[in-house]
């Protein structure tokens, strides 16, 4: 159910696709304010439109995607270097550590921004039971 306040906000800030705001760390509502106050720390609110970022909870989502799509291939590369090529440890470390830093640390921020912007775009909220409609098997049944 939308309220008149929601309608006013919708008119003032038309929806912006999450990939246009989140990937570049911009506010999901206005697309101009900064989403982050540090490398991975979210700001408390947007300095342009005042949107409170308390709703944002990407949890371990960015880390999951980085581990799945970046860390595992890089570690597989390191194992392949060790087993097939037989490279010395220092060569393996010299190649693998920069790959881990580039492919695992750098994508965290855009992924976190994308997840927060997607949460806002789809109005995703934490699930909760509605006590009026809750069908349970407790003592009242
Ligand atoms: Zn904003």
């Amino acid at each position: 159910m939308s309220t008149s306040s929601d309608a006013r906000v919708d008119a003032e800030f038309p929806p912006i696709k999450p990939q246009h705001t989140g990937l570049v760390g911009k506010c999901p509502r206005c697309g101009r304010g900064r989403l982050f106050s540090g490398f991975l720390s979210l700001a408390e609110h947007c300095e342009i439109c005042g949107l409170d970022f308390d709703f944002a909870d990407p949890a371990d989502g960015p880390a999951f995607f980085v581990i799945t799509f970046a860390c595992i291939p890089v570690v597989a590369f390191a194992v392949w270097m060790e087993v097939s090529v037989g490279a010395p440890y220092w060569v393996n470390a010299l190649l693998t550590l920069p790959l881990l830093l580039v492919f695992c640390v750098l994508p965290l921020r855009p992924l976190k921004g994308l997840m927060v912007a997607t949460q806002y775009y789809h109005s995703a909220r934490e699930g909760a039971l509605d006590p009026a409609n809750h069908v349970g098997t407790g003592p009242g049944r």
Side-chain angles (χ1 to χ4, degrees):
M1 174 184 268
S2 66
T3 63
S4 64
S5 173
D6 291 340
R8 184 188 58 75
V9 168
D10 288 346
E12 190 174 350
F13 301 104
I16 305 172
K17 294 281 186 190
Q19 61 269 27
H20 295 156
T21 56
L23 288 176
V24 292
K26 295 296 181 185
C27 170
R29 181 160 73 181
C30 67
R32 292 180 290 151
R34 287 179 297 174
L35 184 60
F36 294 98
S37 62
F39 180 67
L40 288 175
S41 307
L42 291 174
E44 290 182 17
H45 62 275
C46 174
E47 73 268 13
I48 303 292
C49 70
L51 175 65
D52 191 350
F53 295 141
D54 272 352
F55 70 90
D57 184 20
D60 295 333
F64 167 78
F65 286 109
V66 164
I67 288 169
T68 303
F69 297 109
C71 285
I72 291 174
V74 170
V75 170
F77 171 75
V79 170
W80 174 80
M81 286 278 295
E82 185 65 31
V83 173
S84 296
V85 180
Y89 291 124
W90 66 270
V91 171
N92 206 348
L94 210 62
L95 290 174
T96 306
L97 287 178
L99 284 177
L100 278 174
L101 288 175
V102 169
F103 290 113
C104 296
V105 175
L106 294 182
L108 284 174
R109 185 178 165 126
L111 280 174
K112 186 172 183 176
L114 180 63
M115 290 188 161
V116 169
T118 304
Q119 270 185 307
Y120 178 79
Y121 187 79
H122 293 289
S123 301
R125 301 281 184 269
E126 185 175 340
L129 293 175
D130 182 3
N133 295 326
H134 180 66
V135 178
T137 56
R141 297 238 121 226

